[in-house]
Amino acid sequence: MNDCVFCKIAQGKIPADKIYEDEKFFSFLDINPNNPGHTLIIPKNHYENIYSLPDEILCDIGLLVKKISIAVKQGVNADGINIIMNNDSAAGQIIPHAHFHIIPRFADDGLHHWPGKPYPNKEEASEIAEEIKDSF
Ligand code: 5GP
Ligand code: ZN
C-alpha cells in the first residue's frame, strides 16, 4: 500500500533498526518502545490485521515470533516477554498493517497489566461463552 508506513519500512523507503528479514517478513525496533528492545514483526505484504492474514502467513509468523522472542530476551537480558497484537483502533491499533509486538519485560520495569473486570455472575459468563461459540 502506497501510504503505509510499515510497507515503506519493509521496502527500505523509511529507515528502521532492522532485527531480521527474509523473503516474507521484516522485523525492526519500535520507534517508541515500552522497554529497550521492543521489537515489531510484520509481513512484507500489506494485510491490515489478523482477520485478513492468510493462514500460511500466520503460521510462519508464529514461528518467527517465537524465534525473535528468544533473541530479544537474550539480547537485552530480559526477565520475560509480552507478545501483543492490536487489531482495530478500539484495541489500540494505530498502524493498519498487521504486526506483532515483542516487548521485553524486566522484573522492576513498572509496567502493569490491564485491570481485570470480573463477570457480575456465572450466568453472564456462560451467556457470553455461548455467544462466542455460536460465532465460529
Ligand atoms: P499499534 O498501536 O498499531 O499496535 O503499534 C504501532 C507501533 O508502531 C507503535 O508502538 C509505534 O511506536 C510504532 N511505530 C509507528 N511508526 C513507526 C515508525 O515509523 N518506525 C518504527 N520503527 N516504529 C513505528
Ligand atoms: Zn502496509
Side-chain angles (χ1 to χ4, degrees), residues 1 4 6-7 46 97:
M1 237 176 85
C4 172
F6 284 1
C7 280
H46 184 90
H97 180 131

Side-chain angles (χ1 to χ4, degrees), residues 5-6 9 28-32 86 92-95 99 101:
V5 177
F6 284 1
I9 288 176
F28 53 101
L29 290 184
D30 194 299
I31 205 168
N32 186 25
N86 299 321
Q93 185 176 13
I94 295 165
I95 307 286
H99 56 279
H101 294 255

Side-chain angles (χ1 to χ4, degrees), residues 72-104:
V72 168
K73 188 167 190 274
Q74 284 180 7
V76 299
N77 204 17
D79 300 313
I81 293 282
N82 285 127
I83 296 163
I84 294 176
M85 184 185 200
N86 299 321
N87 293 281
D88 299 317
S89 58
Q93 185 176 13
I94 295 165
I95 307 286
H97 180 131
H99 56 279
F100 285 84
H101 294 255
I102 310 292
I103 303 174

Side-chain angles (χ1 to χ4, degrees), residues 19 29-30 33-39 67-82 102-109:
I19 298 293
L29 290 184
D30 194 299
N34 294 122
N35 271 327
H38 181 163
T39 296
K67 199 170 174 175
I68 293 177
S69 293
I70 292 168
V72 168
K73 188 167 190 274
Q74 284 180 7
V76 299
N77 204 17
D79 300 313
I81 293 282
N82 285 127
I102 310 292
I103 303 174
R105 296 297 306 274
F106 302 91
D108 58 352
D109 66 16

Side-chain angles (χ1 to χ4, degrees):
M1 237 176 85
N2 282 344
D3 59 349
C4 172
V5 177
F6 284 1
C7 280
K8 286 182 183 160
I9 288 176
Q11 292 158 10
K13 292 177 181 164
I14 292 179
D17 291 293
K18 182 164 95 177
I19 298 293
Y20 175 90
E21 180 175 14
D22 64 24
E23 212 179 291
K24 294 185 199 159
F25 303 104
F26 196 87
S27 176
F28 53 101
L29 290 184
D30 194 299
I31 205 168
N32 186 25
N34 294 122
N35 271 327
H38 181 163
T39 296
L40 301 174
I41 306 175
I42 62 172
K44 285 186 170 176
N45 288 339
H46 184 90
Y47 306 102
E48 211 164 307
N49 47 41
I50 194 159
Y51 324 119
S52 53
L53 266 187
D55 290 353
E56 187 204 324
I57 298 283
L58 186 57
C59 290
D60 288 349
I61 212 168
L63 298 176
L64 200 52
V65 163
K66 177 181 175 185
K67 199 170 174 175
I68 293 177
S69 293
I70 292 168
V72 168
K73 188 167 190 274
Q74 284 180 7
V76 299
N77 204 17
D79 300 313
I81 293 282
N82 285 127
I83 296 163
I84 294 176
M85 184 185 200
N86 299 321
N87 293 281
D88 299 317
S89 58
Q93 185 176 13
I94 295 165
I95 307 286
H97 180 131
H99 56 279
F100 285 84
H101 294 255
I102 310 292
I103 303 174
R105 296 297 306 274
F106 302 91
D108 58 352
D109 66 16
L111 300 177
H112 298 289
H113 286 284
W114 295 323
K117 295 195 286 182
Y119 293 103
N121 52 58
K122 273 182 68 144
E123 291 69 32
E124 188 156 331
S126 304
E127 264 174 42
I128 288 173
E130 286 310 316
E131 279 164 15
I132 295 171
K133 286 188 273 182
D134 287 347
S135 302
F136 277 103

